[in-house]
Amino acid sequence: MEIKKYGSEKMSKNEGVIYRISGPVVTATGIEARMYEVVRVGNEKLMGEVIEIHGDQSVIQVYEDTSGIRPGEPVLSTGQTLSVQLGPGLLTQIYDGIQRPLQTLEEVMGVFITRGVDADGLDLEKKWDFVATASKGDDVLGGQVIGTVQETDTITHKIMVPPKASGKIKSIKSGDFNVTETVCTLEDGTEIKMMQEWPVRHPRPFSQKYAPDTPLVTGMRILDFLFPLAKGGAAGIPGPFGSGKTVTQQSLAKYSDAQLVVYIGCGERGNEMTEVLDEFPHLIDPNTGKPLMNRTVMIANTSNMPVAAREASVYTGITIAEYFRDQGYDVALMADSTSRWAEAMREISSRLEEMPGEEGYPAYLSSRLAEFYERAGRVETLNGEDGSVTVIGAVSPPGGDISEPVSQGTLRIVKVFWGLDAGLARQRHFPAINWLSSYSLYPQSLNQWFRDNIASDFPEVRTQISALLKVEAELQEIVQLVGSDALPMDQQLTLEVARMIREYFLQQNGFDPIDAYSGVQQQYAMAQAILTFQEEAKKAMAAGARLQDVVNVQSRTELMRARFAEGYLDKIGGLVEAMVAEIAATAEAN
Amino acid sequence: MTSKEYKTITDIKGPLVFLEKTEPVAYGEIVSIRLSDGSEKNGQVLDTSDDMVVVQVFEGTEAIDRKAGVKFLGDVFKLPVSKGLIGRILDGAGRPRDGGPEIIADENADIIGAAINPYSRQSPHDFIQTGVSAIDCCTTLVRGQKLPIFSASGLPHNDIALQIARQAKLRDSDEEFIVVFCAMGITAEEYNFFRSDLERTGALENAALFVNLADDPAVERLITPRLALTAAEYLAFEHDYHVLVIYTDMTNYCDSLRQIGAAREEVPGRRGYPGYMYTDLAMLYERAGIVKGKKGSITQFPILTMPGDDITHPIPDLSGYITEGQIVISRELHQAGIYPPINVLPSLSRLMGSCIGEKTTRDDHKKVSDQMYAAYAQGRELRGLVAIVGEDALNERDLQLLKFADIFEDKFLRQDRDEDRTIDETLNLCWELMTNIDTKYLVRLDQELIEKYHPEEKKA
Ligand SMILES: Nc1ncnc2c1ncn2[C@@H]1O[C@H](COP(=O)(O)OP(=O)(O)OP(=O)(O)O)[C@@H](O)[C@H]1O
Ligand SMILES: [Mg+2]
């Protein structure tokens, strides 16, 4: 196959031979490669990356299956590091871990992924309507926007001067261009095209990092209300198998108010990616009213695809996320699952016979995790705009026990921990996020936003709700010993209120066409409804009502059920009023 | 290709043979080793370099000495495939075991198998009726799914697997499954049980069997499931068959994997299993599904026995992380004399949502399943409470739920080994059993459904 992507221009014509092959790790002699340089391995020119150098030997991780390759076959260095192609055409795509479009692979290879095929990340032929926004004579710096392309109906792709270039514009023209044609020339002769390449293992530059102050609204009540994540923040979702990591991640990809989503299926199931592909084009983004696919880029390197490409997949994803951040967008990146990424590192590391750290993971595991999550953030872009990358990483701890290295390494860095709980999943309490062990360190910095945009007492209401849940946990311990009837009435009421929080507020079926998304305004109204119930029940019981009657009022059931129908926010007020009246009546009846 | 014979073995260790001074040998290449008594063994290259080649010997290294002759056969492991596989019994390395002739190949397929492009997959959505109520109602199986049975030694997982194999069908369709059965290290007795059952029902003529028994070489088990899946892929995607792959016991497979890892002195992961076991298992389990433009499908039913009944053991744990749910067999239910002893609470079918409902099963399926599940879960929890505080402390609702848990196990779970319930029968049974609970406590059902199906509240 001809080498297209890692082009001939910079090829250093440096050729060596294979000395050893052990699974995805190949050792070559006779090339003078640099670390992380892309090389071509064997007669089939499989793509690989230099990950270690010992004297004359270069150790290479290969992104494709190495069966059938022999010592003595050639190895070619390319002079380039592992990079992605950035420009119009990224959106709606689904790539493998090294940015080969899966659709192109299907066209070339059929339904099974074979090897030795290169494919460009971007369509190099397609013409885009470039609208220049800078003019001849303008002084431009790296990262500055010089024009736009309407890539999908929701996303305007901004064309930027590559980060390292700058100068005075000699010429610039609007019109139809493909991504490799020059749209702008600088005085010093630099030609700017719509496509840039960027090495995936290097964070893209920005002017400065800001402290996050805006929540990433997810539409999931337990997340937004109790454990909010900031735009530009990082969250970890650990949980055993079947507890809801993927459903949560997919919910976030669907409903969160990020402008762009990069979804990385890293070492997980093929069918889950198919599901996203089937569903997203038909789902409407609640924030824009347009198909979700228009704001989505997917990376799918499933569990049975080569591990080295799995290792690369998170870098490919986050580089694409940063590129859109640099255009001033709020980007959310989901990585499902970071544990599979860590395992890929472990597999490669053990082939290198490196000294293992904890549980066989390489000693650099925690620093790699930290470097990855550090690429999240809210920044001032080189163009002076505000942009952010929010990272949400699923973690799959063996046996569900988070004392293991990947969970611990993640928790040391992220500020939000959404802990999934097998027990809750088994009770079909979804999302199975444990409200006692989960936490967010952002409320302080986000409270102002909630006060300004939702309600002035939002943080206080949140505190009341979480306090009720804590009290419930303590009471439950007593109930386990003596049964609930033995508790005093006011505590029995507390249990009922807490049950209402769990069943009405925290539970939210990710597949319910309506309840799967709940706006923050509605979340607040629901929390208030619960507190109103508590207050009115107390009053009625003080006036002689029986707890049982108060709890069983029909209007409360209606209030709770109505959330499954359209337009709930508008109805809540009336439903609460009806409930208040009916509860008051229970006291009179006695 | 080189068919030169080398006599350069330096070391022999566990299932591995090390040799030096060869011409360039390919990674994954198949090896034939001739022993001094003239017998032959087969193996595969695990590591190759100019100085040293490491060969994994499938039949074990017993009786190999440094004088043995080693030939490299120039190719990776391939299975001759054709429709002639149907009705045949092969050994764990793909050689006839039924006294029949060699398989005449239409093609030779690489047994490692290439990954299905996720873009080329099609989401499974066809409901498979297994006739087993617990599965059909609560953990519904979908054609193209990989749904393992998590069992433990001494439990009737084989009966359940066979019952499913016998009864599985699409509703209102006579499209049949063909079975690819793969035995890894099971006893001759277990194997005979499978075989005679398949023979009795006539399914054997429509099955392909790959058999590695407990006294067959342990390392061979690493290729047996790959042969079975290669056959399955060929039959499904070249000949439009709907293939049901049953493989048992994954625990033996994983133990062989551990053995190789130990012999190579790899850094072990949890409980001594190799760190790459997740990836290795995924290379098997992910060979299930449906792909665009092909009529056939592969549905997988792997069976594994959980060491020490421990679901957090690496074998069930890593499997659960890859498969699309699991059916968990319970020792407690088995000891209580219930067949099939399926514990629905930790069981799950992740694809269930895509295949149940008005168009495929029945409009009440989802809600009935949720309600049965919830009532049973609460009833079981109450058993624990009753053990401490006694039944007197329970209110009316709790008493009903407590009794329901027993009814659920006795009437819903329990069925005969050849009892084949249609989905309608199963759902009607659910309604009948739920009459033991006041409708006001059946909060997961809505009024509309109650009026339509509840035996006592039904509006004629
Ligand atoms: N929010 C939710 N609403 C409804 N159902 C849910 C929700 N979360 C999880 N589930 C149920 O739990 C099942 C498993 O969830 P999911 O696939 O997200 O688990 P996971 O944590 O990603 O597991 P694995 O680690 O094996 O990938 C789903 O198929 C669904 O039935
Ligand atoms: Mg998942």
Side-chain angles (χ1 to χ4, degrees), chain B residues 83-90 97-99 103 162 165-166 176-183 190-211 235 241 244 246:
Chain B
K83 270 174 94 161
L85 283 165
I86 300 176
R88 296 299 304 273
I89 303 176
L90 307 174
R97 187 192 161 103
D98 52 6
I103 303 292
L162 277 168
R166 279 196 305 271
E176 293 237 348
F177 285 97
I178 60 167
V179 173
V180 170
F181 175 77
C182 167
E190 276 179 287
Y191 165 62
N192 288 333
F193 176 75
F194 267 102
R195 191 188 146 153
S196 58
D197 193 88
L198 292 172
E199 221 158 24
R200 176 173 69 83
T201 57
L204 196 59
E205 286 160 36
N206 265 325
L209 277 58
F210 292 83
V211 183
L235 294 170
Y241 284 104
L244 186 65
I246 300 178

Side-chain angles (χ1 to χ4, degrees), chain A residues 241-242 244-247 263 268-269 272 336-337 394 396, chain B residues 321 350:
Chain A
F241 67 79
K245 296 179 291 296
T246 304
V247 175
Y263 193 98
E268 291 286 314
R269 302 174 183 82
E272 288 173 348
D336 185 10
S337 160
S396 316
Chain B
Y321 271 124
R350 295 172 194 239

Side-chain angles (χ1 to χ4, degrees), chain B residues 45-192:
Chain B
V45 174
L46 282 190
D47 198 326
T48 170
S49 70
D50 290 350
D51 307 327
M52 176 70 69
V53 174
V54 183
V55 176
Q56 154 187 334
V57 184
F58 298 134
E59 292 93 338
T61 47
E62 197 188 339
I64 300 183
D65 58 19
R66 291 183 50 197
K67 294 195 289 289
V70 179
K71 269 188 188 173
F72 296 93
L73 304 182
D75 206 348
V76 296
F77 207 120
K78 294 203 163 151
L79 175 74
V81 287
S82 76
K83 270 174 94 161
L85 283 165
I86 300 176
R88 296 299 304 273
I89 303 176
L90 307 174
D91 72 5
R95 294 168 295 228
R97 187 192 161 103
D98 52 6
E102 293 287 327
I103 303 292
I104 299 179
D106 269 353
E107 60 185 83
N108 286 302
D110 181 352
I111 67 159
I112 300 301
I116 299 175
N117 184 333
Y119 183 81
S120 312
R121 280 183 184 267
Q122 221 169 28
S123 293
H125 50 70
D126 289 326
F127 164 64
I128 297 178
Q129 178 179 297
T130 66
V132 177
S133 290
I135 297 175
D136 290 350
C137 173
C138 302
T139 53
T140 319
L141 175 63
V142 188
R143 191 158 69 179
Q145 186 170 17
K146 40 188 179 292
L147 191 62
I149 298 183
F150 284 13
S151 189
S153 46
L155 299 181
H157 40 266
N158 292 341
D159 300 68
I160 298 173
L162 277 168
Q163 186 169 4
I164 293 167
R166 279 196 305 271
Q167 299 180 174
K169 58 179 147 309
L170 284 197
R171 214 177 168 203
D172 309 320
S173 149
D174 45 13
E175 272 182 302
E176 293 237 348
F177 285 97
I178 60 167
V179 173
V180 170
F181 175 77
C182 167
M184 295 168 283
I186 62 173
T187 61
E189 192 185 331
E190 276 179 287
Y191 165 62
N192 288 333

Side-chain angles (χ1 to χ4, degrees), chain A residues 220 237-249 251 268-269 272 336-337 340 394-396 420 425 428-432 508-512, chain B residues 278 317 319-323 325-326 348-353:
Chain A
M220 284 173 74
I237 320 182
F241 67 79
S243 57
K245 296 179 291 296
T246 304
V247 175
T248 305
Q249 296 259 34
S251 261
E268 291 286 314
R269 302 174 183 82
E272 288 173 348
D336 185 10
S337 160
R340 307 304 167 215
V395 185
S396 316
L420 288 164
R428 301 291 195 261
H429 172 110
F430 290 123
Q508 199 176 354
N509 188 321
F511 302 109
D512 187 276
Chain B
Y278 173 84
D317 190 52
S319 297
Y321 271 124
I322 305 163
T323 55
Q326 66 278 340
L348 170 73
S349 163
R350 295 172 194 239
L351 303 184
M352 176 171 176

